């Protein structure tokens, strides 16, 4: 094959991949679970129109990020509000229109409070919801792609990592450039696009149960988490120990901040700067006894307002990182 032929082949393959993405329909859902009398139960939905049994899921609305879609769809279809746990796979299949449907799934615990608060009644879309054992769920589910997702989920159960919590490493949203700002760098605010990004990530961050917010005291970081704090009705913890200035002059203390969050076992957002994020991810791996690798560098290489969710075992956080996923805002 000549260089020209190779170039043409690569170009045609690139076009094919682009067309496949354009044709794809994206959706998100969850394997919703609970423990009843010491036994695991999985939530199934019986759909009215299709007369099938499947896992709760639905298509992404315009402007939504996938995690946000998963939480919204679970609530709309079952009346249960959940926070997302570990990702449990992606299913792909073709619709009658020939478009490919791509569905991202997470594990999600249904707490007793959330179940009691559910106002579900049978409707035109969902005829019934059912809590089933793993064995019965396998027998009831209508589609092989759902069984593959259940297989992945069952591996988590077998590995003893059903209960998890996230530490979310967030890079601040887009700030004014240094050329546009003549004050101190730490006081540089968000741009208009950055403010839009900060608002757009509130739903996705809440989807993972974010409650505690710790941020660099730089203005661009504080402004990034402000919409989230307002939505949660919570105060932020602002510290120079996560700041870029402290990182550059050697006075940052990522270890104490990360260690405290790992020990707490509760969902948290840590907002900082691009140069600081690799150190933050490294400290999470050290605090959990995880072997470091290139995946950490990838998780730390974030665009403005992007974030990586590090999932840890709630019962044994020192057993290592279970999964890492990265989310990029659409704004």
């Amino acid at each position: 094959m000549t260089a020209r032929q190779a170039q043409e082949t690569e170009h045609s393959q690139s076009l094919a991949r682009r067309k496949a993405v354009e044709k794809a329909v994206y959706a998100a859902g969850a394997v919703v679970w609970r423990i009843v009398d010491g036994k695991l139960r999985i939530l199934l939905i019986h759909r009215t129109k299709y007369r099938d049994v499947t896992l709760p899921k639905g298509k992404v609305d315009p402007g939504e990020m996938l995690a946000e879609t998963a939480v919204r769809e679970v609530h709309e279809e079952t009346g249960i509000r959940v926070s997302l746990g570990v990702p449990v796979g992606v299913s792909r299949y073709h619709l009658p229109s020939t478009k490919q449907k791509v569905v991202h799934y997470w594990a999600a615990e249904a707490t007793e409070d959330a179940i009691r608060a559910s106002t579900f009644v049978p409707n035109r879309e969902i005829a019934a919801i059912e809590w089933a054992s793993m064995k019965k769920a396998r027998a009831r589910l209508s589609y092989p792609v759902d069984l593959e997702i259940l297989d992945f989920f069952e591996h988590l159960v077998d590995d003893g990592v059903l209960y998890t919590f996230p530490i979310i490493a967030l890079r601040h949203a887009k700030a004014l450039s240094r050329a546009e700002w003549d004050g101190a760098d730490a006081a540089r605010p968000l741009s208009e696009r950055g403010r839009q990004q900060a608002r757009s990530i509130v739903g996705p961050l809440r989807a993972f149960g974010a409650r505690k917010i710790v941020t660099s005291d730089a203005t661009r970081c504080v402004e990034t988490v402000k919409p989230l704090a307002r939505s949660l009705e919570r105060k932020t913890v602002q510290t120079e120990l996560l700041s870029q200035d402290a990182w550059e002059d050697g006075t940052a203390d990522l270890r104490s901040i990360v260690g405290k969050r790992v020990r707490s076992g509760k969902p948290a957002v840590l907002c900082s700067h691009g140069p600081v994020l690799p150190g933050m991810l490294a400290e999470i791996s050290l605090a959990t006894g995880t072997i470091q690798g290139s995946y950490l560098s990838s998780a730390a290489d974030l665009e403005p307002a992007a974030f990586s969710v590090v999932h840890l075992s709630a019962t044994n956080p020192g057993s290592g990182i279970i999964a890492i996923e990265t989310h990029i805002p659409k704004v």
Side-chain angles (χ1 to χ4, degrees):
M1 181 182 292
T2 66
R4 181 179 179 81
Q5 288 174 323
Q7 188 176 29
E8 290 175 348
T9 299
E10 183 178 350
H11 179 66
S12 63
Q13 290 174 341
S14 177
L15 286 176
R17 286 193 296 269
R18 193 178 307 154
K19 287 180 180 179
V21 169
E22 290 172 353
K23 288 182 178 180
V25 175
Y26 288 91
V31 178
V32 182
W33 61 273
R34 67 190 288 204
I35 302 296
V36 180
D37 297 329
K39 296 179 180 179
L40 178 66
R41 294 291 182 265
I42 306 299
L43 183 61
L44 307 178
I45 62 169
H46 296 246
R47 296 195 297 181
T48 308
K49 179 180 177 180
Y50 300 101
R51 296 182 179 276
D52 59 8
V53 179
T54 185
L55 301 170
K57 66 180 182 299
K59 290 189 292 186
V60 175
D61 279 349
E64 272 188 334
M65 293 170 68
L66 285 164
E68 194 174 7
T69 301
V71 169
R72 176 182 58 76
E73 284 291 341
V74 169
H75 181 248
E76 289 180 0
E77 293 189 340
T78 71
I80 299 172
R81 295 190 183 277
V82 298
S83 295
L84 302 181
V86 178
V88 291
V90 181
S91 69
R92 294 176 172 86
Y93 53 94
H94 283 90
L95 300 169
S97 64
T98 73
K99 287 186 176 181
Q100 186 183 51
K101 189 166 186 178
V102 182
V103 190
H104 291 250
Y105 287 94
W106 285 264
E109 180 185 10
T111 65
E112 291 306 312
D113 287 345
I115 293 169
R116 282 194 293 270
S118 171
T119 56
F120 172 81
V121 291
N123 54 70
R124 275 188 260 180
E125 183 180 357
I126 309 298
I129 60 176
E130 174 187 8
W131 290 101
S133 66
M134 190 73 74
K135 182 178 180 180
K136 286 185 178 178
R138 289 188 177 284
R140 297 228 199 301
L141 285 169
S142 302
Y143 306 107
V145 288
D146 285 349
L147 293 175
E148 292 173 5
I149 299 300
L150 207 59
D151 285 340
F152 197 110
F153 174 79
E154 192 166 16
H155 290 321
L156 292 177
V157 178
D158 293 341
D159 290 341
V161 289
L162 189 56
Y163 293 96
T164 62
F165 73 97
I167 294 179
I168 302 171
L170 167 67
R171 183 178 177 183
H172 66 76
K174 182 69 174 177
L176 290 179
S177 68
R178 288 181 172 86
E180 298 174 288
W181 181 251
D182 59 5
D185 185 65
R188 189 155 48 96
L190 295 182
S191 65
E192 176 56 34
R193 183 186 175 200
R195 289 191 288 273
Q196 292 175 359
Q197 289 175 330
R199 292 190 294 268
S200 75
I201 59 176
V202 170
L205 290 170
R206 291 197 62 164
F208 290 100
R211 302 293 291 170
K212 185 75 173 181
I213 307 169
V214 184
T215 179
S216 158
D217 60 357
T219 299
R220 55 193 181 275
C221 287
V222 174
E223 290 184 350
T224 296
V225 297
K226 188 175 181 179
L228 175 63
R230 187 185 300 120
S231 175
L232 294 173
E233 298 183 344
R234 285 182 169 253
K235 293 182 178 180
T236 61
V237 176
Q238 301 176 24
T239 173
E240 63 180 3
L241 300 179
L242 280 179
S243 71
Q244 185 167 336
D245 287 346
W247 176 256
E248 290 174 352
D249 65 25
T251 60
D253 189 2
L254 305 181
R255 180 158 298 178
S256 64
I257 291 172
V258 167
K260 186 174 182 180
R261 300 275 51 91
V262 171
R263 291 192 299 274
S264 76
K266 296 179 180 179
V269 175
L270 304 181
C271 182
S272 191
H273 311 258
V276 183
L277 292 172
M280 183 187 297
L281 269 295
E283 289 298 338
I284 295 174
S285 71
L286 288 170
T288 57
T290 307
I291 296 174
Q292 296 190 37
S294 59
Y295 67 96
L296 288 177
S297 299
S298 298
D301 186 17
L302 299 176
E303 299 177 11
F307 59 91
S308 287
V309 185
V310 184
H311 296 274
L312 306 175
S313 168
T315 53
N316 185 15
S319 62
I321 293 171
I322 298 168
I324 298 181
E325 53 182 306
T326 297
H327 297 263
I328 301 170
K330 295 184 176 182
V331 177

